[in-house]
Amino acid sequence: MPEFIEMKKIDKGRASTVGTVVKVEHLKKFFAVRKGIFSREVHFVHAVDDVSFEIKRGGVLALVGESGCGKTTTGKTLVRLYEPTGGKIEFLNKDISKLRTNADRMWFHRKSQIIFQDPYESLNPRMTIFDIVVEPMSVQGIGNIKEREEAVADILQRVGIAPPETFMWRYPHELSGGQRQRVAIARALILKPEFVVADEPTSMLDVSIRTQVMKLMLDLINEMDMSFLYITHDLSVARYMADHIAVLYLGKIVEMGEIEEVLQHPLHPYTQALISAVPVPDPEFQREMPKIKGGVSKPIDPPDRCRFYERCPYAMEVCKGTCPPLIDVGNDHKVACYLYNKNG
Amino acid sequence: MSALLSIEGLKMYYDTQKGSVKAVDGVSFQLKKGESLGLVGESGCGKTSVAMSIMRLLAENARIISGHIYFDGKDLLTLSEKEMNKVRWKGISMIFQAAMNSLNPVYRVGDQIIEAIITHEPEVTFEQARERVKALYELVGLDPGRMDHYPHEYSGGMKQRAIIAMSLACNPQLIIADEPTTALDVIVQDMILREMARIQKKLNMSMIYISHDIAVIAEVAEKIAIMYAGKIVEFSDSKTIFKQPRHPYTIGLMSSFPSIRGSKKPLVTIPGEPPNLLNPPKGCRFAPRCPFATNVCLEKEPPYKEIDKEHFIACWHPQGVKRGAEDKDA
Amino acid sequence: MSELQTVVKEPLWKIRIKLAWRGFLKNWNIFRQSKIGMLGLWIVIVFAILGFVVYPILAATVWRSSLAATVSYDPITGYDFQKINPSHPSLQHPLGTDPIGRDILSQLLYSTPREFMLGIFAALITVFIGTTVGTVAAYYGGILDTFFMRLADLILLFPMIAFLIVLSGMMKINMIMLALIIGILSGFGGITIVLRSQALTVKVKPFIESAKVSGARSFYIVFHHIVPNVMPLSFLYMMFSVTGAIFSEAVLSFLGLLNVKMSWGLMIHTSESGGYLLGAYIGRYWWLWVPAGLAITLLCGAFYFIGRGLDEVVNPRLRRR
């Protein structure tokens, strides 16, 4: 008989005592755009603009923000799908923004992986589940046929695609959305990577399936001691998946810290607005109205001032000056806002 | 007070090569004037099909097998296509899923709404329609000066507001909103939801919200119907649904929903996946996933009956009034 | 859910064959429902049987020539001294003879396999070039893409038949060369543009990015991910290329520009150059041109019909439910 299963929590204490897996310093990624078809002027979208953070071994950092805030760009730059415009990415103490030799490149790709949002688009429809899951091994040239078969069967079993023999030779279209996302996870984890970027892996799944996949990922993170960058727009999912959180707004981190600390005591006006806008599944609960106005614009050649200036209910004269730096207000809680910067 | 909309035993199947998909299989509920109802369920549970049946906008291979849809005393299923056209927009209007992307990019947004008005009420002149759109813009919180702008000059939230204005254009008594905020960011979603709830109260309209997101429904709906695999499994006012859910699926759904407020409760997962509606399980459709299922659940379909005042449920083993399944397990 | 298979104990190649067979059956079941596609397939099968089976048998038995005979059925050097040529269809010559006494039916059947070879060889070259160039141009982009696309534009604007006429004046073109020329020209032409645009939609799919994150090289991505996803479309275009190649051959040999001994186009050319297609003669000597003309039309049409049927396999949107 099926049972209701409890979801595990992340062991927060451990994460702080072990080494750093990913360290990002002043990461920048700009995209060139033209305004109008005939214009020769080149402008730059500052998709990621001076972002720094680090992820410890076994730690999960949630990167949250509205669409267009640069969270996916950050994730893709970290696994080198995009070339960073500036800054430094250190992976296991090695600067991976300069991977010169092929051996270094393969080493990095062996140890990092990505899981995408859409389980319908992230699996090649012409490949069988076996071929999809085994691909990282065959690309890296790891193991012989026998070992690869065993590894695929093992990981499929582990992600709940069981029995593996019945699923291995099917095509993605023969699987449900939840099963496909499990296959995508299996594929990402077959080489036991140290670092995984998960780009909204549950946002397209139904509620009951979503919890299953969240639980699966949490179990795997604990079991395999991986570091995750968990990209999501959903703060409540972030709360269950991550131990740290970074709130991104137009390419800049506006607030960062331990997840419960940030969610319970948000400091930045944007974080406060985000939290108060999350619907609460309780008809009697009266949420306060988010104070901000307007929507997100595109950061095309942004002026050097607080990115949140136009929408901020507390905007001051100083905010028009330079961009506020990220300052530590204690408890490992950092915020980029002049409201908390006494020296202004 | 009599019901504005009353659905009785609605069955709607899709014919496919492999057989008929029982998308809506015996759905009944009532909606009073001025009331808002939330239809909650996972994708493929038939919630949009219910809406499409009410609007009689069915796909080619869809068939209404049986049932009645009474709107304002008339059975919509017996009306001719011409009579039905009068009901659409003026009686019931619908906000479709991702409707904001359906605005025609080459026409001004205001003109598109004016066109909708004039098509459905030919006696209205262009100037009158324009005046009405102006008033509608104010009602939904848009600057009337934006009427002459093109869709690409609108942000996502503004487009959604324009769509709401359009759905209000012919003063309908009932609006069906299918996932009205799914594509929007949280902050915009919050503003739109508040706006919709406010307008609904102000105009004393009836409203059906369709969503997969219980939290969204909790914020706007007075009544909630939980759908699973083509059937309503539980129906009550939202307070009862959230405080005293009785159906195991509702309980599972509630406790699998992460929340950012309060203590970090352990999330509960419902094992398995929703059934294939080509050949659904014989007994209760939730039985294969249900922790409380017994033999009777696998054999016989549970009746949909009132167990409390205005609290309907289809289950052989209604659970206790306490929230959360883990209490029961212990 | 489809039926389960427990196959982990088998060797990999066996599984792959089974999978390919299963995929083939699935597509065949879709194709089978297309009436026009099945019609095309049947016509092609009938032609294939006539050309590859019936002709060799006839040539070895009934039509076997001996030096002493007054009748030879050889399609190229044949003659019939007993009749005034061209002679009407008769028992000895079911489709009559041509102006120099050769049997029309034997010419028709003799040419069939050659038409097949030409069409399929040209189509294979077209598709090979089109697929490779299209996907590579789409994936690498930049100057490579620009170059091949402008080349394709150029070839599209180029009047192919006129070019072949000029070319035939400068060199002797036989069947194999013709297939090569048609294959190369149409390979770099329109098909490249179609396959490139298909490859562009595949290129941006997340599974390509997944492969990159695993460390896959461009070459691997092009041939393991992009090519298999444009393959169905290539196959479809292959059918249309067959039609194009057979048709071009017919036109060129009708004009007498090809260095071939016998072909359907040449059969019509022979009667045309003998003056039998002028004015009222065209009706009187119908057997000189109807069989060959019909054969060209039918075979070209048949491959086109198969393409239409395959279209329903490749584009699920066209399918009727």
Side-chain angles (χ1 to χ4, degrees):
Chain A
M1 194 176 89
E3 272 178 58
F4 284 68
I5 313 156
E6 275 200 9
M7 177 169 258
K8 273 185 199 157
K9 287 173 227 166
I10 291 185
D11 177 10
K12 274 196 254 167
R14 242 196 109 244
S16 52
T17 57
V18 288
T20 304
V21 173
V22 178
K23 191 172 180 189
V24 175
E25 281 172 7
H26 308 292
L27 183 70
K28 284 182 186 163
K29 176 66 198 171
F30 299 168
F31 292 102
V33 285
R34 283 203 185 131
K35 278 187 176 171
I37 306 167
F38 303 107
S39 168
R40 293 211 145 242
E41 249 178 290
V42 179
H43 297 264
F44 289 97
V45 175
H46 292 217
V48 180
D49 197 355
D50 200 0
V51 161
S52 307
F53 57 81
E54 56 178 69
I55 305 173
K56 303 257 191 271
R57 184 172 298 281
V60 179
L61 174 72
L63 206 54
V64 299
E66 293 173 280
S67 51
C69 70
K71 37 188 207 303
T72 297
T73 310
T74 309
K76 287 189 176 174
T77 313
L78 283 195
V79 289
R80 301 269 307 164
L81 280 170
Y82 294 145
E83 200 68 27
T85 311
K88 200 165 141 193
I89 306 168
E90 253 178 48
F91 179 68
L92 296 174
N93 298 323
K94 217 170 188 175
D95 186 357
I96 57 147
S97 36
K98 303 181 195 74
L99 286 177
R100 292 266 184 269
T101 66
N102 195 36
D104 277 351
R105 214 177 65 89
M106 286 313 235
W107 168 82
F108 172 69
H109 286 309
R110 193 160 58 240
K111 297 200 172 293
S112 65
Q113 272 296 343
I114 190 163
I115 301 168
F116 287 105
Q117 172 179 21
D118 188 345
Y120 292 84
E121 296 270 285
S122 61
L123 309 178
N124 187 340
R126 306 240 149 233
M127 280 162 81
T128 59
I129 303 304
F130 174 81
D131 290 321
I132 290 169
V133 176
V134 86
E135 189 178 50
M137 288 186 94
S138 47
V139 164
Q140 294 275 351
I142 295 172
N144 58 27
I145 290 177
K146 194 95 211 83
E147 286 162 358
R148 287 180 192 176
E149 269 181 19
E150 272 163 21
V152 171
D154 265 2
I155 194 80
L156 283 179
Q157 185 95 45
R158 186 60 201 86
V159 299
I161 298 290
E165 312 86 71
T166 56
F167 285 96
M168 255 174 154
W169 304 108
R170 291 199 187 170
Y171 287 91
H173 66 86
E174 295 171 283
L175 269 53
S176 71
Q179 287 173 329
R180 286 182 212 210
Q181 202 58 299
R182 286 169 192 267
V183 169
I185 293 172
R187 181 208 143 87
L189 302 189
I190 192 164
L191 289 179
K192 309 215 165 14
E194 308 243 0
F195 172 55
V196 177
V197 172
D199 189 357
E200 307 246 19
T202 59
S203 69
M204 289 191 58
L205 304 175
D206 269 317
V207 189
S208 70
I209 309 298
R210 183 172 75 186
T211 328
Q212 293 173 8
V213 173
M214 282 166 69
K215 176 181 156 47
L216 171 68
M217 280 192 291
L218 276 179
D219 288 353
L220 288 166
I221 290 169
N222 290 339
E223 198 176 294
M224 298 165 101
D225 214 13
M226 289 176 293
S227 309
F228 254 60
L229 180 71
Y230 197 90
I231 298 170
T232 179
H233 68 278
D234 191 333
L235 285 167
S236 36
V237 170
R239 185 183 185 203
Y240 279 84
M241 291 302 301
D243 45 67
H244 284 71
I245 186 170
V247 181
L248 220 53
Y249 187 75
L250 293 185
K252 283 199 179 288
I253 291 181
V254 295
E255 190 161 2
M256 182 155 86
E258 259 187 35
I259 193 137
E260 284 299 304
E261 164 74 20
V262 171
L263 291 183
Q264 301 312 324
H265 312 287
L267 296 175
H268 198 280
Y270 178 65
T271 318
Q272 290 170 351
L274 266 187
I275 290 173
S276 62
V278 175
V280 180
D282 180 349
E284 285 183 329
F285 187 87
Q286 287 300 316
R287 277 188 300 118
E288 57 182 312
M289 186 100 153
K291 293 197 186 84
I292 64 172
K293 44 198 182 284
V296 190
S297 53
K298 264 201 169 157
I300 299 177
D301 292 342
D304 186 21
R305 67 173 181 210
C306 178
R307 295 284 160 87
F308 194 54
Y309 179 75
E310 285 90 355
R311 299 174 74 187
C312 186
Y314 311 109
M316 301 176 291
E317 205 45 44
V318 59
C319 306
K320 273 199 283 184
T322 53
C323 212
L326 206 55
I327 53 157
D328 202 328
V329 292
N331 274 348
D332 198 22
H333 189 160
K334 292 174 185 158
V335 62
C337 180
Y338 285 118
L339 287 173
Y340 308 96
N341 192 345
K342 297 292 175 295
N343 311 325
Chain B
M1 201 162 82
S2 75
L4 175 72
L5 179 78
S6 167
I7 297 184
E8 288 170 16
L10 180 70
K11 286 190 182 190
M12 197 268 265
Y13 294 0
Y14 290 101
D15 294 323
T16 66
Q17 275 182 345
K18 290 177 187 156
S20 40
V21 174
K22 300 159 189 70
V24 181
D25 208 6
V27 162
S28 309
F29 64 84
Q30 293 194 334
L31 183 64
K32 294 194 189 90
K33 186 156 176 50
E35 228 174 25
S36 57
L37 168 78
L39 213 51
V40 187
E42 298 177 70
S43 54
C45 74
K47 50 193 198 301
T48 299
S49 299
V50 169
M52 291 306 193
S53 304
I54 298 173
M55 294 297 282
R56 288 221 354 232
L57 295 169
L58 296 173
E60 237 174 76
N61 60 340
R63 236 168 356 116
I64 291 182
I65 305 291
S66 63
H68 301 279
I69 300 173
Y70 295 105
F71 176 72
D72 223 2
K74 280 176 293 191
D75 188 349
L76 296 185
L77 298 180
T78 61
L79 295 187
S80 70
E81 190 54 29
K82 211 171 162 189
E83 290 167 311
M84 191 63 212
N85 258 331
K86 283 185 197 150
V87 177
R88 292 185 198 126
W89 287 81
K90 278 189 262 178
I92 312 172
S93 73
M94 184 160 173
I95 299 171
F96 293 93
Q97 204 166 349
M100 56 188 223
N101 301 325
S102 65
L103 285 171
N104 191 331
V106 298
Y107 292 106
R108 297 187 172 95
V109 178
D111 289 353
Q112 297 187 42
I113 305 178
I114 291 170
E115 198 197 318
I117 296 174
I118 293 177
T119 317
H120 293 90
E121 294 178 35
E123 68 279 4
V124 178
T125 65
F126 181 83
E127 276 68 34
Q128 285 170 325
R130 211 179 146 79
E131 280 310 306
R132 200 192 283 182
V133 176
K134 223 175 240 171
L136 286 171
Y137 262 53
E138 270 159 19
L139 181 66
V140 299
L142 279 174
D143 172 14
R146 286 218 164 243
M147 267 172 74
D148 296 323
H149 287 205
Y150 290 91
H152 71 90
E153 296 169 283
Y154 279 49
S155 68
M158 286 161 69
K159 278 189 225 170
Q160 193 62 22
R161 281 172 199 263
I163 289 292
I164 294 169
M166 197 188 271
S167 71
L168 291 166
C170 299
N171 304 313
Q173 292 170 277
L174 168 66
I175 292 186
I176 303 174
D178 190 0
E179 306 272 6
T181 58
T182 302
L184 302 171
D185 280 318
V186 261
I187 293 174
V188 185
Q189 162 176 295
D190 183 64
M191 289 192 275
I192 297 285
L193 286 178
R194 283 171 196 269
E195 209 66 65
M196 288 176 79
R198 185 181 63 81
I199 293 167
Q200 186 241 335
K201 285 268 147 20
K202 190 174 169 194
L203 304 179
N204 195 28
M205 275 187 318
S206 302
M207 195 90 194
I208 297 179
Y209 293 95
I210 296 175
S211 180
H212 65 280
D213 191 335
I214 299 190
V216 164
I217 294 295
E219 301 235 318
V220 287
E222 294 154 3
K223 292 275 173 71
I224 291 179
I226 309 277
M227 277 191 83
Y228 183 79
K231 288 176 178 295
I232 293 183
V233 293
E234 189 159 7
F235 181 98
S236 187
D237 58 275
S238 58
K239 218 164 112 191
T240 315
I241 290 273
F242 281 98
K243 298 293 178 200
Q244 297 156 355
R246 306 290 301 272
H247 195 285
Y249 178 63
T250 317
I251 297 170
L253 219 50
M254 297 291 168
S255 31
S256 66
F257 219 90
S259 168
I260 57 162
R261 280 166 213 275
S263 60
K264 194 163 159 183
K265 289 191 217 75
L267 289 187
V268 163
T269 67
I270 307 173
E273 300 201 356
N276 185 345
L277 293 180
L278 262 174
N279 35 16
K282 194 168 70 168
C284 171
R285 292 187 178 178
F286 187 59
R289 302 175 75 186
C290 181
F292 311 111
T294 55
N295 280 338
V296 64
C297 303
L298 296 167
E299 291 301 322
K300 268 164 66 186
E301 221 173 276
Y304 179 65
K305 58 169 197 257
E306 193 163 9
I307 53 161
D308 221 332
K309 195 176 170 295
E310 300 230 338
H311 190 169
F312 295 84
I313 177 175
C315 182
W316 289 116
H317 307 295
Q319 294 306 302
V321 288
K322 263 192 139 182
R323 179 172 167 173
E326 59 274 13
D327 308 319
K328 190 75 192 173
D329 267 352
Chain C
M1 295 270 166
S2 61
E3 49 294 21
L4 311 182
Q5 283 182 277
T6 313
V7 282
V8 80
K9 299 285 170 271
E10 287 176 275
L12 227 52
W13 63 268
K14 246 185 176 169
I15 296 170
R16 302 245 180 247
I17 289 174
K18 270 191 186 171
L19 280 174
W21 177 244
R22 208 176 59 170
F24 170 77
L25 279 185
K26 211 182 111 215
N27 289 332
W28 167 245
N29 278 327
I30 301 166
F31 180 80
R32 227 171 40 175
Q33 286 168 13
S34 152
K35 288 198 183 97
I36 200 163
M38 286 306 281
L39 175 70
L41 189 63
W42 276 118
I43 298 175
V44 167
I45 289 174
V46 168
F47 269 106
I49 291 173
L50 287 176
F52 289 98
V53 181
V54 174
Y55 178 74
I57 293 174
L58 282 178
T61 56
V62 193
W63 290 348
R64 203 166 56 187
S65 50
S66 59
L67 279 174
T70 52
V71 181
S72 164
Y73 285 96
D74 191 285
I76 297 149
T77 62
Y79 47 82
D80 188 344
F81 294 150
Q82 298 169 323
K83 288 221 157 77
I84 303 157
N85 295 313
S87 72
H88 269 282
S90 59
L91 269 182
Q92 288 130 303
H93 304 289
L95 291 176
T97 59
D98 80 345
I100 49 174
R102 298 179 292 190
D103 185 77
I104 299 265
L105 183 63
S106 104
Q107 290 182 332
L108 199 68
L109 295 187
Y110 169 84
S111 307
T112 307
R114 282 150 188 84
E115 303 284 349
F116 264 94
M117 296 303 207
L118 166 87
I120 288 167
F121 187 41
L124 279 176
I125 297 172
T126 307
V127 162
F128 177 75
I129 295 175
T131 310
T132 318
V133 172
T135 49
V136 166
Y139 186 77
Y140 290 95
I143 190 131
L144 204 69
D145 188 28
T146 317
F147 173 74
F148 281 118
M149 283 309 107
R150 294 300 81 79
L151 184 68
D153 290 341
L154 211 67
I155 290 171
L156 270 185
L157 290 172
F158 217 64
M160 177 131 88
I161 299 282
F163 172 74
L164 285 169
I165 291 171
V166 173
L167 205 64
S168 68
M170 297 192 287
M171 55 201 277
K172 288 193 166 164
I173 301 178
N174 58 25
M175 278 289 207
I176 294 173
M177 275 175 68
L178 180 71
L180 262 171
I181 295 167
I182 295 177
I184 291 171
L185 278 184
S186 48
F188 282 107
I191 187 170
T192 311
I193 298 179
V194 176
L195 293 180
R196 168 185 172 265
S197 59
Q198 175 78 5
L200 279 179
T201 66
V202 179
K203 179 190 167 184
V204 295
K205 291 277 165 79
F207 59 78
I208 303 285
E209 293 188 325
S210 289
K212 281 188 197 164
V213 171
S214 301
R217 291 307 191 90
S218 303
F219 183 84
Y220 174 92
I221 289 172
V222 168
F223 289 97
H224 278 79
H225 286 286
I226 299 183
V227 168
N229 276 290
V230 301
M231 227 33 211
L233 201 66
S234 311
F235 195 56
L236 174 67
Y237 273 84
M238 191 171 135
M239 292 301 147
F240 296 138
S241 309
V242 174
T243 304
I246 295 177
F247 186 73
S248 309
E249 187 276 336
V251 171
L252 289 174
S253 39
F254 168 70
L255 295 174
L257 297 172
L258 285 187
N259 184 27
V260 293
K261 291 200 181 96
M262 185 46 61
S263 80
W264 293 340
L266 197 65
M267 287 164 70
I268 305 179
H269 170 73
T270 313
S271 38
E272 195 269 338
S273 58
Y276 292 96
L277 298 186
L278 292 172
Y281 287 154
I282 198 163
R284 202 140 113 220
Y285 296 105
W286 59 268
W287 66 91
L288 291 182
W289 57 274
V290 168
L294 211 59
I296 293 167
T297 314
L298 278 178
L299 195 61
C300 281
F303 276 106
Y304 180 76
F305 290 162
I306 292 181
R308 286 284 304 278
L310 283 177
D311 210 6
E312 290 188 21
V313 179
V314 176
N315 301 326
R317 269 168 298 140
L318 297 177
R319 264 177 243 161
R320 276 158 277 128
R321 265 138 239 283

